[in-house]
Amino acid sequence: MEFIIEIAVYLLFALGITLIQWCFRHKELTAAMIIVVLMIIDVFVWMKLHGII
Amino acid sequence: MDDKRTVDFEINEKIRSDAIEEYIDKKAFSQTESQKRTFKKAYLFIIIIMCIIALTVVILVTSIGDNTFAIAFASVFALSFTMIAVIMSIILVKFSSTNNVKNLKDSLRKGFERTTYRIEDGYLIREYEGDKRKTRKYDLKKIYYPDKEGNIGTFEYKNETGGEYIDFYEPSLYETLKKIKEESQ
């Protein structure tokens, strides 16, 4: 089960990168900022899963 | 019609049609921009509500058992939930504004097509097809064209209470004003 969660974390990060690229192309800075925050939380989840924090 | 500004009616046809298009573009742009701002506020509100729901789920799940898996599961759920909300709001803002520009331009063009002008007993009468309440009467003696600033798309109307500037990008009014000039000569 933890493996599935880890894959979901990676997928969310990849989705975030794609969305940020799209947002910059379409000048949607508010949405880009929200996505950046979500990606930072995603990194924290990844660290939690690996026992770093 | 003794004001010398009323003499110059020589408008290039291309400039006039460009003026109509420019007017439609400007009006559609300003209106969709304000709508877009309202939409953005509404979608931001939706995102915040979804974040609160996601946070509640996180708190509930983490309170069940204090283990890494529960925290990670709840966080991933919350993240996915919020990410979907962001994607949805972006799509909705984009789609609504694209459709609005098209619809607005169409309705403005329709408005131009429905408005007709005619001269009767020394008055310029504006009629809007299908809505008699929009009928207006302008005393020809009080119409000055172009307006003080020299705008070709506006005529100045002076009455007892002051005056007003009226946009007349409608082609039929241009023809009517041309006729006034010919008749006055």
Side-chain angles (χ1 to χ4, degrees):
Chain A
M1 203 64 178
E2 268 186 46
F3 177 68
I4 295 165
I5 295 290
E6 205 176 328
I7 287 174
V9 169
Y10 290 133
L11 280 174
L12 276 172
F13 198 80
L15 184 68
I17 293 168
T18 322
L19 278 175
I20 282 176
Q21 281 175 339
W22 187 91
C23 286
F24 277 116
R25 222 176 291 143
H26 292 84
K27 290 172 184 166
E28 294 280 348
L29 289 176
T30 325
M33 265 151 66
I34 295 168
I35 293 158
V36 166
V37 174
L38 291 175
M39 282 171 77
I40 292 165
I41 300 167
D42 200 49
V43 171
F44 275 104
V45 175
W46 181 84
M47 285 161 90
K48 186 84 187 164
L49 269 173
H50 287 263
I52 300 165
I53 52 166
Chain B
M1 303 290 283
D2 52 347
D3 194 299
K4 64 177 179 180
R5 279 180 288 158
T6 56
V7 178
D8 182 24
F9 277 91
E10 295 302 318
I11 298 174
N12 184 300
E13 284 297 312
K14 201 190 168 301
I15 291 172
R16 188 173 60 86
S17 65
D18 284 352
I20 293 169
E21 281 308 307
E22 200 186 308
Y23 175 78
I24 290 173
D25 283 344
K26 265 187 196 167
K27 198 150 189 172
F29 180 76
S30 64
Q31 285 199 20
T32 45
E33 278 303 298
S34 66
Q35 276 177 347
K36 224 174 163 181
R37 275 196 291 273
T38 322
F39 279 136
K40 269 192 176 173
K41 271 179 202 160
Y43 296 137
L44 213 71
F45 183 69
I46 294 168
I47 291 172
I48 291 164
I49 286 181
M50 286 189 114
C51 283
I52 293 166
I53 296 167
L55 257 166
T56 318
V57 174
V58 172
I59 293 161
L60 279 172
V61 173
T62 46
S63 63
I64 293 164
D66 187 28
N67 61 57
T68 314
F69 175 72
I71 294 164
F73 175 81
S75 309
V76 167
F77 172 79
L79 278 174
S80 325
F81 210 69
T82 323
M83 206 74 108
I84 289 164
V86 174
I87 294 167
M88 268 169 65
S89 64
I90 291 170
I91 291 167
L92 283 168
V93 168
K94 281 278 156 197
F95 271 91
S96 54
S97 58
T98 319
N99 288 339
N100 275 338
V101 174
K102 206 185 160 293
N103 292 345
L104 230 120
K105 281 187 177 178
D106 286 346
S107 68
L108 281 169
R109 275 201 195 92
K110 242 178 221 169
F112 287 138
E113 283 164 17
R114 280 183 181 176
T115 319
T116 48
Y117 295 84
R118 62 192 167 81
I119 303 165
E120 209 179 271
D121 304 327
Y123 282 93
L124 172 74
I125 299 162
R126 185 186 77 176
E127 279 176 328
Y128 191 78
E129 196 191 311
D131 193 352
K132 286 202 167 178
R133 285 171 302 174
K134 285 185 179 175
T135 305
R136 290 285 305 271
K137 273 175 106 179
Y138 300 106
D139 191 342
L140 283 177
K141 285 175 191 145
K142 293 168 185 170
I143 287 177
Y144 297 95
Y145 172 83
D147 70 357
K148 251 180 199 166
E149 282 81 32
N151 295 319
I152 57 159
T154 317
F155 71 72
E156 204 179 332
Y157 186 66
K158 283 182 183 170
N159 53 23
E160 293 73 30
T161 52
E164 57 180 315
Y165 291 94
I166 297 128
D167 286 335
F168 81 95
Y169 290 106
E170 293 90 341
S172 57
L173 180 55
Y174 171 74
E175 296 306 324
T176 311
L177 287 171
K178 221 170 168 181
K179 216 168 136 191
I180 299 167
K181 187 211 170 189
E182 281 162 12
E183 278 171 6
S184 66
Q185 275 175 345

